[in-house]
Coordinates of all heavy atoms in Angstrom, one line a residue:
A38 N 5.0 -13.4 42.5 CA 4.1 -13.8 41.4 C 4.8 -13.9 40.1 O 5.5 -14.8 39.7 CB 2.8 -13.1 41.4
Q39 N 4.6 -12.8 39.4 CA 5.2 -12.7 38.0 C 6.5 -12.0 37.9 O 6.6 -10.8 38.2 CB 4.1 -12.0 37.1 CG 2.8 -12.7 37.0 CD 2.9 -13.8 36.0 OE1 3.6 -13.8 35.0 NE2 2.3 -15.0 36.3
K40 N 7.5 -12.7 37.6 CA 8.9 -12.2 37.4 C 9.1 -12.1 35.9 O 9.0 -13.1 35.2 CB 9.9 -13.1 38.1 CG 11.3 -12.5 38.1 CD 11.5 -11.4 39.1 CE 13.0 -11.1 39.1 NZ 13.3 -9.9 40.0
T41 N 9.5 -10.9 35.5 CA 9.6 -10.7 34.0 C 11.0 -10.2 33.6 O 11.7 -9.5 34.4 CB 8.6 -9.6 33.6 OG1 7.3 -10.0 34.0 CG2 8.7 -9.3 32.2
A42 N 11.4 -10.7 32.5 CA 12.7 -10.2 31.9 C 12.4 -9.7 30.5 O 11.6 -10.3 29.8 CB 13.7 -11.3 31.9
V43 N 13.2 -8.7 30.1 CA 13.2 -8.2 28.7 C 14.5 -8.6 28.1 O 15.5 -8.0 28.5 CB 12.9 -6.7 28.7 CG1 13.0 -6.2 27.2 CG2 11.6 -6.3 29.3
I44 N 14.4 -9.5 27.1 CA 15.7 -10.0 26.5 C 15.7 -9.5 25.1 O 14.7 -9.7 24.3 CB 15.7 -11.6 26.6 CG1 15.6 -12.0 28.1 CG2 16.9 -12.1 25.9 CD1 15.3 -13.5 28.1
Y45 N 16.8 -8.9 24.7 CA 16.8 -8.2 23.3 C 18.2 -8.2 22.7 O 19.2 -8.2 23.5 CB 16.2 -6.8 23.4 CG 17.0 -5.9 24.2 CD1 17.9 -5.0 23.6 CD2 17.0 -5.8 25.6 CE1 18.6 -4.1 24.3 CE2 17.7 -4.9 26.3 CZ 18.6 -4.1 25.7 OH 19.4 -3.2 26.3
Y46 N 18.2 -8.1 21.4 CA 19.4 -7.7 20.7 C 19.1 -6.5 19.9 O 18.0 -6.3 19.3 CB 19.8 -8.8 19.7 CG 20.8 -8.4 18.7 CD1 22.1 -8.2 19.1 CD2 20.4 -8.1 17.4 CE1 23.1 -7.7 18.2 CE2 21.4 -7.5 16.4 CZ 22.7 -7.4 16.9 OH 23.6 -6.9 16.0
S47 N 20.0 -5.5 19.9 CA 19.8 -4.2 19.2 C 21.0 -4.0 18.3 O 22.2 -4.1 18.8 CB 19.6 -3.1 20.2 OG 19.4 -1.9 19.5
Q48 N 20.8 -3.7 17.0 CA 21.8 -3.4 16.1 C 22.2 -2.0 16.1 O 23.4 -1.6 16.1 CB 21.4 -3.9 14.7 CG 22.3 -3.6 13.6 CD 23.6 -4.3 13.6 OE1 23.8 -5.2 14.3 NE2 24.5 -3.8 12.8
T49 N 21.2 -1.1 16.0 CA 21.6 0.4 15.8 C 21.1 1.2 17.0 O 21.4 2.4 17.1 CB 20.8 0.9 14.6 OG1 19.4 0.7 14.8 CG2 21.2 0.1 13.4
G50 N 20.6 0.5 18.0 CA 20.1 1.3 19.3 C 18.5 1.5 19.3 O 18.1 1.8 20.4
T51 N 17.9 1.3 18.2 CA 16.4 1.5 18.2 C 15.7 0.5 19.0 O 14.8 0.7 19.8 CB 15.8 1.5 16.7 OG1 16.5 2.6 16.0 CG2 14.4 1.8 16.8
T52 N 16.1 -0.8 18.8 CA 15.5 -1.9 19.6 C 15.7 -1.7 21.1 O 14.9 -2.0 21.9 CB 15.9 -3.2 19.1 OG1 15.7 -3.3 17.7 CG2 15.1 -4.3 19.8
K53 N 16.9 -1.3 21.4 CA 17.4 -1.0 22.8 C 16.4 0.0 23.4 O 16.0 0.0 24.5 CB 18.8 -0.6 22.8 CG 19.4 -0.3 24.2 CD 20.8 0.2 24.2 CE 21.4 0.5 25.6 NZ 21.6 -0.9 26.3
K54 N 16.1 1.1 22.6 CA 15.3 2.1 23.1 C 13.9 1.6 23.5 O 13.3 2.0 24.5 CB 15.2 3.2 22.0 CG 14.3 4.4 22.3 CD 14.2 5.4 21.2 CE 13.2 6.5 21.4 NZ 13.2 7.5 20.3
V55 N 13.4 0.8 22.6 CA 12.1 0.2 22.8 C 12.1 -0.7 24.0 O 11.2 -0.7 24.9 CB 11.6 -0.6 21.6 CG1 10.3 -1.3 21.8 CG2 11.3 0.4 20.4
A56 N 13.1 -1.5 24.0 CA 13.3 -2.5 25.2 C 13.4 -1.8 26.5 O 12.8 -2.2 27.5 CB 14.5 -3.4 25.0
E57 N 14.1 -0.7 26.5 CA 14.3 0.1 27.8 C 12.9 0.6 28.3 O 12.7 0.8 29.5 CB 15.3 1.2 27.6 CG 16.7 0.6 27.6 CD 17.7 1.7 27.3 OE1 17.3 2.8 26.8 OE2 19.0 1.5 27.6
E58 N 12.0 1.0 27.3 CA 10.7 1.4 27.7 C 9.9 0.3 28.3 O 9.1 0.5 29.3 CB 10.0 2.1 26.5 CG 8.6 2.7 26.8 CD 8.7 3.8 27.9 OE1 9.7 4.6 27.8 OE2 7.8 3.9 28.7
F59 N 10.0 -0.9 27.8 CA 9.3 -2.0 28.3 C 9.8 -2.3 29.7 O 9.1 -2.6 30.7 CB 9.5 -3.3 27.4 CG 8.5 -3.4 26.3 CD1 8.9 -3.3 25.0 CD2 7.2 -3.7 26.6 CE1 8.0 -3.5 24.0 CE2 6.3 -3.9 25.6 CZ 6.7 -3.8 24.3
V60 N 11.1 -2.3 29.9 CA 11.8 -2.5 31.2 C 11.2 -1.5 32.3 O 10.9 -1.8 33.3 CB 13.3 -2.4 31.1 CG1 14.0 -2.3 32.5 CG2 13.9 -3.6 30.3
K61 N 11.2 -0.3 31.9 CA 10.7 0.8 32.7 C 9.3 0.6 33.2 O 8.9 0.7 34.3 CB 10.9 2.1 32.0 CG 10.3 3.4 32.8 CD 10.5 4.6 32.0 CE 9.9 5.8 32.7 NZ 9.9 7.1 31.8
Q62 N 8.4 0.3 32.2 CA 7.0 0.2 32.6 C 6.7 -1.1 33.2 O 5.8 -1.2 34.1 CB 6.2 0.3 31.3 CG 6.3 1.6 30.7 CD 5.1 1.9 29.6 OE1 4.0 1.3 29.7 NE2 5.4 2.7 28.6
L63 N 7.5 -2.2 33.0 CA 7.2 -3.5 33.6 C 7.9 -3.7 34.9 O 7.6 -4.6 35.7 CB 7.6 -4.6 32.6 CG 6.8 -4.8 31.3 CD1 7.6 -5.6 30.4 CD2 5.5 -5.4 31.6
G64 N 8.9 -2.9 35.1 CA 9.8 -3.1 36.4 C 10.5 -4.4 36.2 O 10.8 -5.1 37.2
A65 N 11.0 -4.7 34.9 CA 11.5 -6.0 34.6 C 13.1 -6.0 34.6 O 13.7 -4.9 34.6 CB 11.1 -6.5 33.2
D66 N 13.7 -7.2 34.6 CA 15.1 -7.2 34.4 C 15.4 -7.1 32.9 O 14.7 -7.5 32.1 CB 15.6 -8.6 34.9 CG 15.5 -8.8 36.4 OD1 15.4 -7.8 37.1 OD2 15.6 -9.9 36.9
A67 N 16.6 -6.5 32.7 CA 17.0 -6.3 31.2 C 18.2 -7.2 30.9 O 19.2 -7.2 31.7 CB 17.3 -4.8 31.0
I68 N 18.1 -7.9 29.8 CA 19.2 -8.7 29.4 C 19.4 -8.3 27.9 O 18.7 -8.7 27.0 CB 18.9 -10.2 29.5 CG1 18.6 -10.6 30.9 CG2 20.0 -11.0 28.9 CD1 18.1 -12.0 31.1
E69 N 20.6 -7.7 27.6 CA 20.9 -7.3 26.2 C 21.9 -8.3 25.7 O 23.0 -8.6 26.3 CB 21.5 -5.9 26.2 CG 21.9 -5.5 24.7 CD 22.4 -4.1 24.6 OE1 22.6 -3.5 25.6 OE2 22.6 -3.7 23.5
L70 N 21.5 -9.0 24.6 CA 22.3 -10.0 24.0 C 23.5 -9.3 23.3 O 23.3 -8.4 22.5 CB 21.5 -10.8 23.0 CG 20.3 -11.6 23.7 CD1 19.5 -12.3 22.6 CD2 20.8 -12.5 24.8
Q71 N 24.7 -9.8 23.5 CA 25.9 -9.2 22.9 C 26.7 -10.1 22.0 O 26.9 -11.4 22.4 CB 26.9 -8.8 24.1 CG 26.2 -7.9 25.1 CD 26.2 -6.5 24.6 OE1 26.7 -6.2 23.5 NE2 25.5 -5.6 25.3
L72 N 26.9 -9.8 20.8 CA 27.6 -10.5 19.8 C 29.1 -10.7 20.3 O 29.7 -9.7 20.7 CB 27.6 -9.9 18.4 CG 26.3 -10.0 17.7 CD1 26.3 -9.1 16.4 CD2 26.1 -11.5 17.3
V73 N 29.7 -11.8 20.0 CA 31.2 -12.0 20.3 C 31.9 -11.2 19.2 O 32.8 -10.4 19.6 CB 31.6 -13.5 20.2 CG1 33.1 -13.6 20.2 CG2 30.9 -14.3 21.3
T74 N 31.5 -11.3 18.0 CA 32.1 -10.4 16.9 C 31.0 -9.6 16.3 O 30.0 -10.1 15.7 CB 32.7 -11.3 15.8 OG1 33.6 -12.2 16.4 CG2 33.3 -10.5 14.7
P75 N 31.0 -8.3 16.5 CA 29.9 -7.4 16.0 C 29.9 -7.4 14.5 O 30.8 -7.8 13.8 CB 30.4 -6.0 16.5 CG 31.3 -6.3 17.6 CD 32.0 -7.5 17.3
Y76 N 28.7 -7.1 14.0 CA 28.5 -7.0 12.5 C 29.4 -5.9 11.9 O 29.8 -4.9 12.7 CB 27.1 -6.8 12.1 CG 26.2 -8.0 12.3 CD1 25.1 -8.0 13.2 CD2 26.4 -9.1 11.5 CE1 24.3 -9.1 13.3 CE2 25.6 -10.3 11.7 CZ 24.6 -10.2 12.6 OH 23.8 -11.4 12.7
P77 N 29.7 -5.9 10.7 CA 30.5 -4.8 10.1 C 29.8 -3.5 10.3 O 28.6 -3.4 10.5 CB 30.5 -5.2 8.6 CG 30.3 -6.7 8.6 CD 29.4 -7.0 9.7
S78 N 30.6 -2.4 10.1 CA 30.1 -1.1 10.4 C 29.2 -0.5 9.3 O 28.4 0.4 9.4 CB 31.2 -0.1 10.7 OG 32.1 -0.1 9.6
T79 N 29.3 -1.1 8.1 CA 28.6 -0.5 6.9 C 27.3 -1.3 6.7 O 27.2 -2.6 7.0 CB 29.4 -0.6 5.7 OG1 29.7 -2.0 5.3 CG2 30.7 0.2 5.8
Y80 N 26.3 -0.7 6.2 CA 25.0 -1.3 6.0 C 25.1 -2.6 5.0 O 24.6 -3.6 5.3 CB 24.0 -0.3 5.4 CG 22.7 -0.9 5.0 CD1 21.7 -1.1 6.0 CD2 22.4 -1.2 3.7 CE1 20.5 -1.7 5.7 CE2 21.2 -1.7 3.3 CZ 20.2 -1.9 4.3 OH 19.0 -2.5 3.9

Side-chain angles (χ1 to χ4, degrees):
Q39 293 285 321
K40 184 77 173 176
T41 302
V43 177
I44 303 168
Y45 67 96
Y46 167 74
S47 186
Q48 171 68 12
T49 63
T51 300
T52 307
K53 182 181 180 73
K54 177 181 177 181
V55 172
E57 288 176 341
E58 185 59 38
F59 273 113
V60 169
K61 177 182 176 182
Q62 294 196 29
L63 293 163
D66 291 343
I68 301 173
E69 182 176 6
L70 302 176
Q71 301 284 352
L72 285 169
V73 171
T74 303
Y76 284 119
S78 58
T79 65
Y80 175 80

